[in-house]
Structure formats: C-alpha cells, structure tokens
Amino acid sequence: MKKSTFLVLSMLCAASATWAQGLATAKQNNVPRVTLRLLDKASAASKITSEYGEVVPVMEEDFSLMSEGSYGAPAMNAKITNDDAEYVWNNMLSDLTHLPGWGHINAFQAGGTVCLLADASTGGARINTPQLDMSGNDGICFIRFRARTDMYTQTMSMGVQAAETNNWGPDWDILGGGYVPTVTDQWQTYEAMFQGGGSTTLFLVFVEGADPQPVYIDDVEVYQVKQYVSTPSVLPHSNYKGEGETASFTANWTAVDGAEGYLLNVYTLNDDRQPVYLLKDQATTTNSFDVKNAVSGETYYYKVRATKGTHVSIESQECMVFDLATPVMHDVSDMEEGRYFAEWDEVPSAEVYNYLAYYDRKAAADGEFVIFDDDFSGVVNAEGEKTGWTLENPSGMSYPELYVENLCQAGWRGTSYAPYDGYICLDGWQYVWNKQDAGFISPELDLSKNNGRIDIRLDLYGVYDNDFESQTTCAVALFNWDDAKGDYSQAELVYVDGVNESWQTFNVQLTKGSTRSVIGFYAVRGADNLYIDNLRITQVYRAGESLMDPFYCKRAYFGNELEVLLPAKTNGQEIYHKVNAMKTLMNGQYVAESEYSDLRHVGTAQVSGISSVDKGQQLVSNEVYDLQGRRTSSTLSKGIYITGGSKKVVR
C-alpha cells in the first residue's frame, strides 16, 4: 500500500480510536462550536430546555448494571469488552447497559457508575452511546450527565463530542465538541447541545491526561425538544459585495412553517472567541436579510431564531461568512506585440489572486469543433521539470492539487495527480484510503452547443488493485453551475467499462452540457493508478459559434499587476480576461475565493513569431491550430508560454 510523500492524510481508524486519535481526526475542517455548560442544582433538577417546548426523552442510562467495583476502587479486572464487536464504537458487553450498543476505551465498572481512566500510556479514555435516531425535532439534541473525580490534577481535561455516523459509513458528520468546565471531587451535572443529528448519531464523553485520571460518569440522558416553533436551518450567505473598506452580504435561512418572524444575530469573534455584534436580535419577517456596513474581508458569523407569539425557537447553528470582494479590472492600455499588462484593484484582506485569460475562438464552418485535444507530452511537475515517471517506473507520489501547465488549454486541475512522461496519472490510493478526489478537472467552459452533447475520446490504462481485488477504472462526470446552490452540481456520471492493464481507446458521450460546465475524469473503484493519455473533447458547432478558450491561468499570484505573454494560436483573436481574490483561515482549513470579475475585453492579439526569453518566460510559437481547434503542427510542446522558476501550488 503506497503513501504519497507530497501529502499523507491520516484516516479515521475505528479500531484505534481515542479522543486524540480517533473521532476528532474526522472532518475537522468544519467542526461547529457547541453549547457546553455546567448546570447548577436548580437547573439540573428540571430541564431548562422545556421553555422551548416539550422535552422528548431518547435514552437514559444509570449504569446500575455495572455493579462490580466502587467509587475510588474501580473493577480493573472485570470484563467489560466484547472481543467480537465489529467496531470499537459498540464494543461494550450488552448486559452491562440497559440499551445495547455502547462503546468504550479504557472504561471500567465502578459500583453503579462507569470509570474513565486516562494516563500517559493510554493517551485517553472514553465512553460513547449507541447509535441513536436524532433526525426528528430539527436534528437538535442534548446530552446530560453527571461526573466527578477522586484524584483531580491540572493535567486532566474532559470533553464531549457527537457525530452522525451515517450508519458506520466512511465519512462521519461531526456535530461539534469541546471541553467541559473543571471536574471536581463533587458530583456535578453537565449538558451539551448539538445540531445536525441524524438517524445514526452517537455521543461520547472523553478524558485526557498525562497522570492517572479516574473520572466517574453516571446518569447519562439524551433527549430532544419538540419546539413550539422550529429552529431555522441557516443557508450559505449570498450577494457578497465590497466597495472600498465596506462590504455587504445577504444572510439566508430556511423558512419555518407557522413562524411569524425571525431574530438575526450577526457578529465577529474577538481574540477570546466571544461575539462582537454587528446586528443583535434584528427582527425580520422574511427568511433572508441584507447585512450592510460590514468590514470588507472581515470574517462574520450569523445565527437566527424563529418567533411565534411569545415563543422563540432554539437558536440555529452559526454560519460563517468568510468571503472577499470581487476585484475590479482596469482597462488594458498598453497592449503590445505578443504581450499585454493586466491590472486590477487590490481587495481588502486578499492574500493572492487567480487570473484567467481567454481568446474568442470561432468555428469557421459547421461540424466538429475541438474543445480540448492533448497528448500530455508537455506535462511537468510543480518545478517545471519532467519527472521521468512511467508505467515501468511508477512513483508513489502525487500532488493533492496542481494546476497543470503546458496543455493546449489552461486552467485544468489535477487532484491526487502525478505528471508522468507523456501521460498523466491519477492516484486511486488516495481516493480509496484517504477519501480524496483523484481527478483531472477542466476549467469552466461553455458546453451548451449542440444541445449540450459532448463527445470524448481518451486512452486509459488502469492498474489492478490486489489489496481490494478490484480494477481501478475511470468515471467521467459533468458538473453544471447551480445559481440557487451557488456552486456546481453533478449533472451526469459515466463509468468507463473495460479498463484494464493495457492501453485502450474509449469513447464517452455526455448530453447535458450547459453554458457553465466543468468536466472531470476520476480514478475510482480500485486503490491503484489510473493513467490517461490522448484526451480529445469535441462538440458540433455551427459556423460563427465560438468558445471562450482559456489560454493562460495564473493561480495564487501575489500582486495586482501581471504581464501576460500571448501564444501564437491567439494571433488575430479577441482576448478577454478576469480575476478573483483568495485568502485562507486557520492554517488553510478554510479557503475563500471571491466571485470572478466580469469577463473584460483586452484587445486583438498580435503575435508574429517566437518571442525571446523575457523575465523567465518563453513564448513557444510554432504550435499551429486551425479555427476548429485541430492541431496542424506540433514541432514544439503545446504552444503556450513556459514559466521558469518555482510555481505556487495551492494545497
């Protein structure tokens, strides 16, 4: 089983899971914050959530069946684990709890309670509930329990987490988690609220500590609330706009049946992660609100509650507004022979910019029009060098993401991708084991011609995966832009049958192309390499129809001025360009890209021949195409400029 030296992602492995090593490693990019609190005696006596509606009990466990041992002397040798359990998440003997299906690590019976014992050797201890159906009542769920210790030290921490397991699926939806207030040698009651529960949700309580940390857990309750008025679900924001240092956006959420209005909170977080409000309890009767006077580039959050008479719902989850204003392109006034200079306004908080340039390529006659046609003879690594990798000399390395240069068309992106000599490789190992796309993905293209019918021809070689006894093959997917979603949605998916360990030519037809489409080619089914060569994508055009064909893509560019060299194939063609802004948050866990600027006309390209080397760039001019996009001469590689030096790779 190979591992990439460019990127090795840790997987969730249920058989070795502790808090530090297991559930917390899954999907950390979007773990929501959770309401955790220590209840006083009055609050603990009656569920405070009853103010929102009727309490609906789901599960109660008093651990009375764990009768061996006692507080202060847990039964360290009493059997608690079912050695035949399929998962560590349901490995507790079923006769020790009133509802079977509990799981644990380093838990022990303690006279009607359960003791979690963490120390430096174990790393942690935990106990988790069975899978529970929390899909009703807006998916909002609560866990309440009592805890104490007889041996408190400063190194001890206790926390709570919940996850929708998707019925033990490979990808769990983490509902949130965090650490609870200090555990003492007195019984105290703790409560945590989570949102997003599903039909197979579990909750866990964990303990961490370097010194021996016995923590006793008792009286676990899981419940929901049938509210008088339901909680809205927040939706992604829209209409983000910036003008100078000021920004605006629209906060969105689902409409609630029977709701008479909504209360919206919009805020930033200070250094102590406490809210600083831009809007506090802003009343509205619609399920969206235009937020104005925000600081451009600042990170905001919003939550919303529904109202009905005197009743107010539980507040929704928070939605993060991590966005950027769209850059404004300047007119190009200094277009020269073989080059021009692009410039745009800087955007507040932007770190880098992404730039795309196109030429308007028109069909000279009715018939086949080539969208993409490449034999991958020019592909190089991120340093602009040939790798020497071949089928006979394969590599265990792949890029998590790399924008591929030296193609007949700019803007193609490889994920779990490796450039081989004369063809490309998609790393199915990353797809199977690390749940990462292994794809070769086009830029956005207008594929609406001929009623969206797209013809594809490509050569494939798939390595047989001996570990899974399965054949690595290819899936071809078409994605179309969805205005309502604000993202691409999959419109078609075709699996290529017959791929094996020999080069073969395949034909694939897609039928749902749109004015904003993306095509992706993916390694699937087997955890080994898929090789692609001689990829050709065509449509039937009518004379005069045209394609905005990207010839230059510059990713993660520092600065707001850029020299662009024109390839020979653009000579006499109209040039257009656009740019967007990008930034990251929390060591790259969150990435924001603004909308692209409107496509703006640059001018008519004038390219007479091979340009000299200038500032590390060389224009390769004798790549000749006809107006239908067919290559007629190929004495030098790919006919686009080659940039010397290191290239920024967005990971």
Side-chain angles (χ1 to χ4, degrees), residues 159-414:
V160 183
Q161 193 175 35
E164 168 51 40
T165 69
N166 298 313
N167 197 26
W168 308 124
D171 294 314
W172 291 16
D173 300 322
I174 307 302
L175 307 187
Y179 294 93
V180 303
T182 301
V183 182
T184 71
D185 59 359
Q186 300 295 314
W187 284 109
Q188 298 181 98
T189 302
Y190 301 87
E191 185 180 67
M193 182 184 80
F194 300 89
Q195 299 195 42
S199 59
T200 54
T201 296
L202 61 75
F203 304 81
L204 65 88
V205 180
F206 66 90
V207 174
E208 297 171 339
D211 300 320
Q213 304 291 314
V215 174
Y216 299 85
I217 307 296
D218 203 2
D219 298 328
V220 176
E221 302 174 70
V222 176
Y223 61 94
Q224 294 184 293
V225 177
K226 185 178 180 181
Q227 297 189 81
Y228 302 116
V229 56
S230 292
T231 295
S233 296
V234 287
L235 300 173
H237 72 282
S238 57
N239 302 321
Y240 191 95
K241 297 178 181 177
E243 188 171 339
E245 298 296 323
T246 303
S248 62
F249 59 89
T250 301
N252 303 299
W253 56 90
T254 57
V256 172
D257 289 342
E260 297 171 356
Y262 304 92
L263 298 175
L264 173 68
N265 289 330
V266 181
Y267 52 92
T268 61
L269 296 175
N270 62 20
D271 292 342
D272 296 324
R273 303 287 293 171
Q274 298 302 308
V276 178
Y277 288 95
L278 177 65
L279 296 175
K280 176 69 172 172
D281 291 338
Q282 173 66 55
T284 181
T285 57
T286 62
N287 60 318
S288 65
F289 189 85
D290 293 331
V291 178
K292 302 182 184 300
N293 299 317
V295 176
S296 183
E298 179 67 82
T299 300
Y300 288 90
Y301 302 83
Y302 61 87
K303 294 182 178 182
V304 66
R305 293 169 289 164
T307 62
K308 182 179 181 180
T310 60
H311 297 299
V312 180
S313 74
I314 295 170
E315 197 167 36
S316 70
Q317 291 178 300
E318 64 187 16
C319 183
M320 184 170 67
V321 181
F322 181 61
D323 215 328
L324 290 158
T326 301
V328 176
M329 297 291 300
H330 296 184
D331 289 333
V332 174
S333 57
D334 48 2
M335 194 170 186
E336 304 171 0
E337 164 75 20
R339 73 184 64 206
Y340 65 87
F341 297 87
E343 186 177 359
W344 54 89
D345 287 343
E346 292 184 347
V347 171
S349 81
E351 297 168 355
V352 292
Y353 299 89
N354 303 314
Y355 176 86
L356 276 166
Y358 302 78
Y359 69 112
D360 188 13
R361 183 157 61 89
K362 289 183 169 58
D366 294 351
E368 182 185 71
F369 186 89
V370 177
I371 307 296
F372 181 91
D373 185 6
D374 210 293
D375 61 8
F376 303 112
S377 59
V379 294
V380 291
N381 63 16
E383 287 69 45
E385 301 169 346
K386 290 282 189 177
T387 62
W389 301 336
T390 64
L391 277 165
E392 297 74 25
N393 180 35
S395 171
M397 297 187 289
S398 62
Y399 290 96
E401 182 176 81
L402 183 68
Y403 280 79
V404 183
E405 298 197 10
N406 295 1
L407 298 178
C408 66
Q409 188 175 73
W412 283 76
R413 176 169 60 98

Side-chain angles (χ1 to χ4, degrees), residues 1 57 75 133 204 247 299 428 537 544 552-553 574 596 620 630:
M1 195 179 297
D133 186 355
L204 65 88
T299 300
I537 303 171
Y552 179 36
C553 173
E574 298 305 311
Y596 270 94
V620 182
R630 295 183 288 260

Side-chain angles (χ1 to χ4, degrees), residues 5 7 29 67 86 94 96 109 116 149 257 295 308 316 384 411 415 426 441 448 452 491 507 521 562 629:
T5 57
L7 179 70
N29 285 358
S67 56
E86 185 175 3
S94 59
L96 294 179
Q109 299 185 54
L116 303 181
T149 182
D257 289 342
V295 176
K308 182 179 181 180
S316 70
T415 58
L426 304 179
I441 304 149
S448 62
N507 292 285
F521 302 85
L562 179 64

